[in-house]
Amino acid sequence: AQMPGGDPGAYFTSGTTGLIPVLENGEVVLRAGYWHAITLELNGGTVNSGNVSGYVQGQGVTLPTDVTRHGYDFGGWYENQDCTGNAVTAVGADATGDKTFYAKWEPATYKVTLDPNGGTIAEGENITSYTYGETKELPSSLDTTRTGYIFMGWYDAGGNRVREISDTDYGDKAFTAQWVPITYGVEFNANGGRGWMIQQVFTYDREGYLAYN
């Protein structure tokens, strides 16, 4: 038979003094003293360990701290939805009645490492961190330069080109600048002399040889 409502004390009694029936995870169990329910409003997070559903009056209980949410840092438990005032870490032994606590979340800040790979990032354009929920553009070709090379963009460890960190990204990031050496065409002018040479193409920072005339 199903028990309507959430008060097992209305349907079950204990023959042992000081024990009361309470409902936990769908099962009726006996608890010493007066049992009060605890509701944890996670606001998108997850309790990984130490979850609580109630406390015994006169004993109290510690609230869980192993609470996570992608892109956020846990800021503690609060007694109001706006998460203002002082954070609550435990229900004291002198507490009475059912309790509801709300998880507070702060957008996490992550580390960004940009490796210019021989180039230079303009002053004030380097990125060392980002905050979850915000979009941050990586330095452009105007701000990332290297003598004799063309900037091809920023790439992650998987070889993917990345132009910005999106508002859904989380975790530390590392990007490396990729470069292609510039090629130059060279024409030869005998300047009144005899003979001629074909135009040649040379690549910056690579040794080349002149063709025979």
Side-chain angles (χ1 to χ4, degrees):
Q2 293 185 344
M3 180 188 69
D7 181 14
Y11 298 90
F12 300 92
T13 58
S14 170
T16 304
T17 302
L19 296 181
I20 59 173
V22 297
L23 184 65
E24 287 189 49
N25 299 320
E27 297 183 356
V28 177
V29 298
L30 296 178
R31 293 289 185 186
Y34 293 98
W35 175 263
H36 300 289
I38 293 178
T39 301
L40 298 179
E41 297 290 348
L42 293 168
N43 296 328
T46 301
V47 176
N48 300 305
S49 63
N51 194 22
V52 294
S53 60
Y55 72 99
V56 176
Q57 186 172 325
Q59 297 181 18
V61 70
T62 300
L63 300 181
T65 56
D66 186 10
V67 188
T68 56
R69 179 183 176 187
H70 283 315
Y72 291 86
D73 293 327
F74 179 57
W77 297 105
Y78 289 79
E79 295 180 292
N80 60 85
Q81 296 186 47
D82 294 331
C83 295
T84 57
N86 297 321
V88 179
T89 59
V91 176
D94 59 346
T96 60
D98 295 342
K99 303 291 182 181
T100 298
F101 300 103
Y102 301 85
K104 181 179 181 179
W105 300 102
E106 302 284 354
T109 297
Y110 300 103
K111 180 181 178 181
V112 178
T113 302
L114 297 181
D115 179 5
N117 194 20
T120 301
I121 300 174
E123 184 176 355
E125 298 300 326
N126 192 23
I127 296 174
T128 58
S129 65
Y130 76 98
T131 300
Y132 178 79
E134 298 179 352
T135 299
K136 180 160 287 192
E137 293 185 2
L138 301 184
S140 68
S141 58
L142 298 177
D143 302 316
T144 313
T145 56
R146 181 182 179 187
T147 301
Y149 287 82
I150 298 173
F151 178 62
M152 300 303 293
W154 297 101
Y155 287 78
D156 62 18
N160 303 301
R161 184 175 182 180
V162 180
R163 292 179 172 83
E164 66 178 20
I165 298 173
S166 75
D167 58 1
T168 58
D169 283 334
Y170 60 90
D172 293 342
K173 303 289 183 182
F175 305 106
T176 303
Q178 296 296 325
W179 304 95
V180 172
I182 297 173
T183 56
Y184 302 90
V186 179
E187 294 184 354
F188 301 92
N189 186 342
N191 195 24
R194 300 178 60 184
W196 62 278
M197 293 179 62
I198 63 172
Q199 178 178 327
Q200 289 184 248
V201 176
F202 295 92
T203 300
Y204 181 83
D205 209 23
R206 294 182 184 177
E207 185 177 9
Y209 297 92
L210 297 179
Y212 292 104
N213 59 10

